[in-house]
Amino acid sequence: MRVLFKVYRYQPETREDAYFDSFEFDAEPTDRVLDGLNHIKWHLDGTLTLRRSCQHGICGSDALRINGVNRLACKVLIGDVGSKIKIEPLMGFTVIKDLVVDMDRFFSHYRSVMPYFVNDEAPPDRERLQSVEARDAYDDTTKCILCAACTTSCPSAWSNPDFIGPAAIVQAHRFIFDDRDEGSEERLAALGQRDGVWRCRTVFNCTRACPKEIQITKAIGEVKKAIVADRS
Amino acid sequence: MMSIHEHTFDAIVVGAGGSGLMAAVYLAKQGSLRTAVLSKLYPTRSHTGTAQGGIGAALGNMGEEDHWEWHMFDTIKGSDYLGDQDAIEVMCRESPEVVYELEHMGLPFSRTEDGRIAQRRFGGHTSNFGEAPVRRACYAADRTGHMILQTLYQQSIKHDVEFFDEFQVVDLLIEDGSCRGAVALNIATGELHIFRSKALVLATGGYGQVWEITSNAVTLTGDGLFLVARRGVPLEDMEFYQFHPTGIRRMGILITEGVRGEGGILRNHAGERFMELYAPNLKDLASRDVVSRAIYKEIRAGRGINGERYVHLDATQLGAEVIENKLPEIADFCRTYLGIDPVTEPIPIQPTAHYAMGGIPTDVDGGVVGMQGEPVRGLYAIGECACVSVHGANRLGTNSLVDLVVFGRRAGIAMAEYCRGADLEPTGEDPAGRSREELEALLSTAGKDGENAAEIRREMKELMMDNVSVFRTDELLSEAKVKLEELRERADRIAIDDPSRAFNLDLTDAWETRGMVELAQITTECALNRTESRGAHSREDYPDRDDENWLKHTLAVVRDGASEIGYKPVSITRFEPKERVY
């Protein structure tokens, strides 16, 4: 099929303003959108810049706005998007070049929720036991690949860059609901602050944006409840 | 002119996948050492995250007896007796404690009904020295690698590891038999940084991008391998490259062996379970080299689906519950990329370039050793870029993850010990000079006429797929050797498009392309040199394993653009080589 890619460009070393570039070429409907972007970079214009690595939806490098919706470029087929494809960088972060955004704030919010296992008791010789049900309680949020598709689809995060955002809450949820972990008190205190979970207005954009289909809004709701329960 | 920044650390880790992060956590736990992790990606983008099926450890959690000695035997047999048995013993003996350690770090393994780490069957893993399949692969659904990567990154944060994200190492400061640091390109700014160190570990992963159909990320370009080769360090057993039997047709995306571990069956165009012919005992759970060759033979005999170059992986008998709960990512891949439901339809698959058994020669603590067995002081290598050798001529499924954590940990401990007794060695004048010259020259081609790096990669990948993959002959390899030399010359004339400093991935792509062609050349020369068939190296003109002449490791060192080949003996401690039948 013939496709027209309209791609956001920002090349600060050679041009001050951002603009859109159009590329028209033949592609298979079963090609990934990322294949199209690679085709442009490798054969039409080597200056086009984007992050990419695994190319099958695991590494989380290539979250982009594709026809206005946050998706991983490697997890969307051209045939499913149509012949006209508009590509833009994630919203709400500073653009460094073309489709590459500055992720520093994203990762600093992530780090603020103690995103690691806490249990200071001496571990047993073998594994700590965990029931199948207890393991299921946080299964969904273990899938997060830190692609930032959720956080950059969130109106609260757009309007308030200090809001830690859905991804960081998902990461916190993964530990708060793990019955082996003992760091929740501190985590919940951090999440209960002004720019924590309460900035969430339950818009559900994050849930729709997640390429791993994590029920993010539900997870945020569970964290909110845990904070309330913790306070009472 | 590029500006240069300088840093000094005790220890440097290059690469932030499973092995690099494990080493970093262990270095950080030592307290007083200054450690930095350099990665050309954000750490969580590393390819360890794509490992699916499991990590092998003889825990015996499934009501079946298991022993690390059985794991050791299976690994040796899987390696077609080329793996070093002393190193394999270390790996299999330490595997259970490292898996428990990962669990103690919070890794969310799937669980058995009694709350223990769940285990499943995997190719080549057996009980009682080859008798029957055993459940040894510890898993977290089909996201085991993702969980390992996330857990180790989380632990790195907990232990305050210092990261330099999106820093690409472009040279190693190896002088007079010791490594004194590295030069890295800060991708975000285009500036060069000199990192001086007492000890440096390469954990840069594989080089599967050399082949057309591959499970490997586009960033798996073998940087650590070609960097050491350029500095005169040999590479070991580069002819042994694994093709995983089940990659998604045309795309190469991995479909875990766990699908067959849970009961999935390979079928040809007539719906026949053809593995019964090739491996009567273990059938679909024979080791990967055996299964990949069987698929190629079926395709050649015209028994591919519709006569085409693929067969089916049939998981329909597993049922919806097993697929949705134990193999959810696989189900997602099938639905996303193939538009099929694996619960009701077979999956079209073909072998896909997957894993380098060969690499940078090391001892069991990750210490790099040279051509005569002499240590390269201060230089370590772990994970896929290293060759201990625990995988020999063919790696068993789940053993890459075992390798990462066992040897990542050992290297972290050994490096800390080394750093305490070592001084920083001086670097020569202008240590970044060579890199600056190389990158400035490439940058100066921007917009000029020249070769397109992507076109060189495309030709190299097709050539390696046709001539240097599952089946090899003198004719195919000799042809590849000539054509690769032409590609190498063309790679010298690459011209890029992007003239800018910041985030110039056009520049790094071109730089990686040159390195990959060099690795393709070394691989081909080693494959041409080894006139026997063993494990993943299958020579149709020399179809038998030849222990009399070839029970030895290859060491290739590059001099004046050509590989000089030497050998080193295989460590055989417990299990004498015998015929390998599954």
Side-chain angles (χ1 to χ4, degrees):
Chain A
M1 65 191 275
R2 197 75 184 156
V3 290
L4 178 69
F5 272 64
K6 203 174 162 196
V7 185
Y8 179 95
R9 304 301 306 269
Y10 177 57
Q11 297 268 337
E13 290 180 43
T14 51
R15 183 171 164 173
E16 260 177 42
D17 57 326
Y19 58 101
F20 280 90
D21 241 352
S22 292
F23 302 93
E24 207 179 339
F25 54 94
D26 288 321
E28 297 291 329
T30 51
D31 285 348
R32 295 161 279 202
V33 169
L34 179 62
D35 294 321
L37 291 168
N38 281 338
H39 177 77
I40 296 169
K41 180 166 184 66
W42 295 342
H43 301 289
L44 305 176
D45 182 354
T47 66
L48 177 66
T49 305
L50 69 151
R51 292 191 179 102
R52 75 284 174 268
S53 189
C54 82
Q55 309 194 101
H56 62 289
I58 306 291
C59 80
S61 297
D62 64 347
L64 296 168
R65 265 158 63 84
I66 299 171
N67 283 354
V69 183
N70 282 5
R71 313 283 293 268
L72 297 179
C74 63
K75 255 199 110 180
V76 188
L77 303 187
I78 286 176
D80 294 336
V81 185
S83 58
K84 286 185 182 160
I85 302 176
K86 189 173 172 186
I87 308 282
E88 297 163 277
L90 294 174
M91 265 174 80
F93 293 164
T94 307
V95 177
I96 296 174
K97 183 177 178 179
D98 290 348
L99 304 172
V100 175
V101 294
D102 185 345
M103 302 283 286
D104 281 359
R105 194 173 66 230
F106 178 78
F107 282 107
S108 88
H109 286 322
Y110 162 72
R111 282 170 176 256
S112 74
V113 299
M114 294 167 64
Y116 44 78
F117 187 72
V118 177
N119 185 325
D120 295 332
E121 275 175 48
D125 289 341
R126 297 179 59 183
E127 67 269 61
R128 289 190 174 91
L129 298 181
Q130 182 166 53
S131 71
V132 172
E133 296 70 31
R135 168 67 178 74
D136 272 349
Y138 65 101
D139 182 64
D140 203 31
T141 44
T142 64
K143 299 172 191 165
C144 175
I145 56 174
L146 294 165
C147 69
C150 57
T151 296
T152 56
S153 72
C154 172
S156 302
W158 292 335
S159 62
N160 176 11
D162 294 330
F163 171 41
I164 62 165
I169 304 171
V170 162
Q171 289 289 333
H173 180 281
R174 175 255 169 275
F175 292 103
I176 293 166
F177 292 90
D178 183 341
D179 67 352
R180 300 169 299 167
D181 182 89
E182 291 176 348
S184 285
E185 207 171 313
E186 252 181 282
R187 262 186 222 107
L188 290 173
L191 287 162
Q193 304 213 335
R194 203 175 52 132
D195 292 315
V197 289
W198 306 112
R199 294 278 177 198
C200 165
R201 298 283 183 265
T202 339
V203 179
F204 280 89
N205 276 12
C206 53
T207 302
R208 280 189 290 267
C210 179
K212 307 310 282 185
E213 294 173 15
I214 300 170
Q215 298 301 305
I216 301 177
T217 313
K218 179 167 171 259
I220 295 173
E222 289 173 357
V223 173
K224 286 176 178 171
K225 272 189 203 154
I227 292 172
V228 173
D230 206 44
R231 281 177 184 165
S232 58
Chain B
M1 188 62 76
M2 291 174 174
S3 31
I4 310 268
H5 303 259
E6 305 203 14
H7 314 261
T8 300
F9 287 92
D10 291 300
I12 287 171
V13 179
V14 182
S19 68
L21 292 178
M22 191 72 175
V25 166
Y26 265 86
L27 282 159
K29 279 185 182 175
Q30 313 294 317
S32 58
L33 297 174
R34 287 201 66 208
T35 303
V37 178
L38 278 51
S39 171
K40 66 179 179 179
L41 305 169
Y42 279 107
T44 56
R45 313 305 183 211
S46 304
H47 207 60
T48 296
T50 66
Q52 298 166 0
I55 175 167
L59 307 185
N61 278 356
M62 308 303 290
E64 300 171 337
E65 199 180 339
D66 200 5
H67 301 282
W68 68 261
E69 291 90 343
W70 294 353
H71 186 188
M72 178 182 175
F73 169 78
D74 291 337
T75 302
I76 292 165
K77 181 179 174 185
S79 82
D80 218 349
Y81 294 90
L82 190 72
D84 287 321
Q85 297 190 8
D86 52 353
I88 292 171
E89 177 165 345
V90 165
M91 181 176 81
C92 297
R93 207 178 45 212
E94 291 185 12
S95 179
E97 73 185 61
V98 181
V99 167
Y100 290 139
E101 188 177 353
L102 289 172
E103 197 281 331
H104 297 158
M105 290 174 177
L107 195 142
F109 282 108
S110 295
R111 298 288 170 157
T112 64
E113 285 306 318
D114 54 356
R116 299 210 171 273
I117 294 170
Q119 297 183 279
R120 60 161 62 117
R121 290 174 177 164
F122 240 74
H125 288 278
T126 70
S127 57
N128 207 15
F129 309 104
E131 227 169 64
V134 70
R135 291 176 179 83
R136 184 178 292 145
C138 310
Y139 63 91
D142 51 358
R143 302 188 186 96
T144 315
H146 166 75
M147 301 303 188
I148 290 176
L149 184 66
Q150 294 286 328
T151 300
L152 292 174
Y153 185 54
Q154 292 155 3
Q155 290 294 307
S156 306
I157 292 171
K158 186 175 184 178
H159 291 287
D160 285 323
V161 172
E162 193 167 343
F163 284 96
F164 290 82
D165 297 333
E166 298 185 321
F167 271 62
Q168 184 153 9
V169 170
V170 291
D171 200 4
L172 297 171
L173 303 176
I174 299 175
E175 293 166 45
D176 302 328
S178 79
C179 180
R180 293 134 194 237
V183 180
L185 176 74
N186 179 358
I187 295 173
T189 64
E191 292 170 337
L192 287 175
H193 290 241
I194 297 165
F195 290 85
R196 293 193 172 81
S197 61
K198 295 176 181 172
L200 180 146
V201 62
L202 293 166
T204 57
Y207 68 107
Q209 278 298 314
V210 160
W211 285 270
E212 181 190 8
I213 304 293
T214 179
S215 66
N216 283 201
V218 279
T219 45
L220 283 176
T221 53
D223 301 16
L225 298 169
F226 64 75
L227 285 174
V228 298
R230 286 175 184 175
R231 301 281 83 87
V233 176
L235 296 179
E236 180 175 347
D237 290 341
M238 290 293 281
E239 62 272 40
F240 297 103
Y241 195 89
Q242 178 168 82
F243 281 72
H244 191 293
T246 57
I248 289 181
R249 183 189 178 208
R250 292 201 187 106
M251 304 182 92
I253 296 171
L254 184 67
I255 299 291
T256 173
E257 202 166 300
V259 173
R260 283 171 286 139
E262 297 290 352
I265 291 169
L266 290 164
R267 298 189 190 278
N268 62 18
H269 73 140
E272 292 161 345
R273 185 181 193 179
F274 58 84
M275 281 312 299
E276 286 176 339
L277 288 175
Y278 301 92
N281 184 25
L282 293 189
K283 302 185 184 71
D284 300 87
L285 287 175
S287 73
R288 290 177 179 172
D289 56 332
V290 174
V291 180
S292 284
R293 274 194 293 279
I295 294 170
Y296 261 65
K297 284 181 180 164
E298 288 295 302
I299 288 169
R300 276 191 189 174
R303 294 195 287 270
I305 308 302
N306 302 323
E308 291 188 59
R309 299 180 59 80
Y310 69 102
V311 296
H312 275 148
L313 173 59
D314 181 2
T316 57
Q317 64 281 5
L318 273 59
E321 200 188 315
V322 168
I323 289 180
E324 304 299 346
N325 291 326
K326 294 186 175 178
L327 302 162
E329 291 285 332
I330 296 305
D332 187 29
F333 294 155
C334 290
R335 288 167 190 147
T336 302
Y337 299 115
L338 296 164
I340 64 164
D341 184 354
V343 175
T344 55
E345 292 165 276
I347 309 165
I349 59 93
Q350 71 180 112
T352 183
H354 186 58
Y355 188 87
M357 273 73 71
I360 305 162
T362 72
D363 60 28
V364 292
D365 291 315
V368 175
V369 288
M371 205 70 178
Q372 311 301 327
E374 74 285 5
V376 181
R377 285 196 316 281
L379 184 61
Y380 297 77
I382 45 177
E384 189 174 342
C385 73
C387 181
V388 186
S389 148
V390 284
H391 308 304
N394 172 67
R395 174 172 72 74
L396 285 194
T398 79
N399 273 354
S400 61
L401 295 177
V402 183
D403 176 354
L404 298 185
V405 289
V406 167
F407 294 104
R409 181 172 80 158
R410 290 181 73 92
I413 294 167
M415 286 169 74
E417 179 71 28
Y418 177 83
C419 286
R420 277 191 284 269
D423 293 318
L424 273 176
E425 294 188 52
T427 48
E429 215 175 296
D430 194 15
R434 205 161 40 199
S435 308
R436 189 176 52 233
E437 217 170 281
E438 185 185 10
L439 294 175
E440 289 289 353
L442 203 44
L443 205 52
S444 73
T445 66
K448 296 193 179 137
D449 282 342
E451 294 283 346
N452 176 350
E455 180 56 23
I456 289 174
R457 288 198 298 275
R458 189 187 66 75
E459 290 181 37
M460 170 190 68
K461 284 160 162 288
E462 279 182 14
L463 177 66
M464 293 298 283
M465 205 69 205
D466 290 342
N467 291 35
V468 195
S469 61
V470 172
F471 283 110
R472 301 159 172 189
T473 64
D474 187 288
E475 196 187 340
L476 289 171
L477 294 167
S478 299
E479 183 191 50
K481 188 178 165 179
V482 173
K483 288 188 174 171
L484 284 167
E485 184 54 30
E486 288 167 16
L487 285 171
R488 197 192 60 76
E489 284 168 16
R490 284 171 56 194
D492 287 341
R493 301 193 298 274
I494 287 174
I496 62 173
D497 286 350
D498 192 343
S500 56
R501 298 274 163 192
F503 238 100
N504 192 339
L505 299 183
D506 199 26
L507 174 75
T508 51
D509 279 359
W511 180 83
E512 290 165 351
T513 301
R514 287 179 176 167
M516 280 197 286
V517 175
E518 292 166 29
L519 291 178
Q521 286 188 295
I522 298 169
T523 303
T524 303
E525 290 195 45
C526 292
L528 193 54
N529 180 65
R530 184 176 284 268
T531 50
E532 66 154 352
S533 289
R534 182 186 298 273
H537 174 65
S538 194
R539 288 281 302 254
E540 287 186 286
D541 41 359
Y542 298 94
D544 298 323
R545 194 176 85 193
D546 175 4
D547 285 345
E548 201 177 317
N549 294 302
W550 287 106
L551 188 56
K552 58 188 178 186
H553 298 290
T554 306
L555 289 173
V557 68
V558 179
R559 293 196 209 290
D560 304 322
S563 295
E564 255 177 50
I565 290 178
Y567 302 99
K568 75 172 180 185
V570 176
S571 152
I572 294 169
T573 56
R574 291 201 189 194
F575 299 99
E576 279 303 313
K578 57 183 181 186
E579 201 194 345
R580 182 165 165 255
V581 186
Y582 283 104

